[in-house]
Amino acid sequence: MFIFQSTVALALHQGMRPKFARSELRMVNTTFDLKGISHLFTVEDSFDKELPLMCNEPPRVPTLASKSQRIGTYLQNFAFFAPLKVPFSSFYRIRTEHINAARAMLPPRCIAVHVRHFPQHHLDIGLAVCPDARALARVLDTLWEPGRCIMAVGNDANYTRSMLAGVSAPCIQFPNVGSTTVTRTSQSPEIHTINADTASRDFAALTLCEDLVQTCGTFGALASMLHTGNGSIYHFGDTSVERASYEALPEGRRWIHANDTVKQGARADRHMAKRIASKAARAT
């Protein structure tokens, strides 16, 4: 999704009309209704000699309105999109069927967490910075209170469950992600959800929940940028937050570092314990 928006922005910034093979847009088109922006690009069933723009390195990085530095060629970066000055929520509109499916499974006052299982080599070279299970449990237990429920989604159901094994909150839901497939490389395997509709439903749920906890990866970062819930968005310092940019968050939203939330919760607990102890002392 990030690659699609970056490619469109790069091309338009340089006076070009981006061209995509229909197969390239399968996931994006499954999740989002692209009719409102279809005038910005061309879709073809196949290409003869010319490769689609998405398969090429960007020929030139645009000069950004507020920056003059090169931002590299890693297209999963909101900085490529920013020069268009288009509201992110108007560029991407989640299809109604996925919104409805997400609403049907969301528990009341939901705390949604996306758990991304990355190949080990992604972590080794610093492409992602993910929390461990103990750090995630501390945050989720801090956010939980009676009447709330945690919903966890991810690309690997077994890994998602293992990451929440230490959470003490009594209400946790794990929606069925369906079948997955493993892409094996020379470095380490990558797990993908096969059912695009299921992945789209989960993505929509992340945007609709009250509080969103983003562990790592651009799937959760993009959901943060489209979040419409009444609560907050929490992160663990992953590089995807930096690449997504505060500029893209809905008005009035901000990312909150999860560790700060745990510290505030601990201070509140200590304060409450002192008040209880003081009342008990006065009673005696």
Side-chain angles (χ1 to χ4, degrees):
M1 291 180 275
F2 260 106
I3 295 174
F4 168 70
Q5 75 203 35
S6 294
T7 303
V8 170
L10 276 168
L12 296 177
H13 188 83
Q14 298 173 75
M16 301 163 61
R17 184 179 179 85
K19 183 186 297 183
F20 301 98
R22 196 173 303 279
S23 59
E24 289 183 297
L25 295 185
R26 184 183 67 86
M27 183 62 198
V28 177
N29 197 44
T30 297
T31 305
F32 301 105
D33 184 347
L34 301 179
K35 288 196 295 289
I37 59 171
S38 60
H39 62 286
L40 299 178
F41 56 90
T42 300
V43 180
E44 296 188 3
D45 291 327
S46 62
F47 295 92
D48 295 327
K49 297 180 180 179
E50 182 182 2
L51 285 174
L53 185 56
M54 279 183 78
C55 293
N56 297 322
E57 288 293 323
R60 177 170 58 85
V61 177
T63 300
L64 304 183
S66 59
K67 302 176 183 177
S68 60
Q69 77 238 24
R70 182 178 174 83
I71 57 176
T73 57
Y74 188 54
L75 292 178
Q76 298 201 45
N77 193 321
F78 180 76
F80 287 105
F81 183 84
L84 289 184
K85 301 187 183 302
V86 176
F88 203 68
S89 58
S90 67
F91 188 81
Y92 279 136
R93 293 191 178 277
I94 302 173
R95 290 186 178 274
T96 303
E97 59 266 32
H98 303 315
I99 293 288
N100 292 339
R103 283 179 174 153
M105 76 174 186
L106 277 173
R109 299 200 58 210
C110 176
I111 305 165
V113 55
H114 177 250
V115 180
R116 177 68 161 92
H117 188 191
F118 273 108
Q120 187 58 45
H121 71 272
H122 273 63
L123 306 177
D124 293 342
I125 63 178
L127 278 180
V129 180
C130 303
D132 59 25
R134 291 181 61 185
L136 182 58
R138 285 195 297 268
V139 171
L140 293 176
D141 283 334
T142 299
L143 293 176
W144 183 86
E145 59 186 21
R148 305 199 72 181
C149 194
I150 297 167
M151 186 193 71
V153 298
N155 61 314
D156 181 342
N158 292 332
Y159 181 76
T160 299
R161 287 180 177 274
S162 70
M163 282 292 288
L164 271 73
V167 177
S168 59
C171 182
I172 307 177
Q173 295 183 7
F174 298 93
N176 184 10
V177 300
S179 301
T180 57
T181 184
V182 178
T183 302
R184 300 197 175 276
T185 67
S186 58
Q187 296 146 320
S188 54
E190 169 75 296
I191 298 173
H192 303 279
T193 301
I194 292 177
N195 192 318
D197 286 325
T198 299
S200 300
R201 177 207 64 188
D202 293 349
F203 181 84
L206 295 177
T207 71
L208 295 171
C209 61
E210 183 168 321
D211 288 318
L212 171 58
V213 178
Q214 177 199 348
T215 56
C216 50
T218 53
F219 190 89
L222 195 59
S224 298
M225 288 147 56
L226 295 170
H227 186 249
T228 59
N230 295 325
S232 301
I233 306 166
Y234 301 89
H235 73 97
F236 289 86
D238 181 45
T239 53
S240 62
V241 171
E242 179 182 350
R243 296 196 304 271
S245 171
Y246 279 97
E247 303 168 37
L249 288 180
E251 186 175 355
R253 294 285 193 279
R254 65 187 182 93
W255 272 299
I256 301 172
H257 200 291
N259 291 342
D260 295 337
T261 302
V262 172
K263 291 175 183 176
Q264 290 171 4
R267 285 196 294 268
D269 289 344
R270 288 194 297 269
H271 180 66
M272 181 61 70
K274 287 180 180 180
R275 288 182 60 187
I276 293 172
S278 177
K279 282 185 178 182
R282 288 198 300 270
T284 57

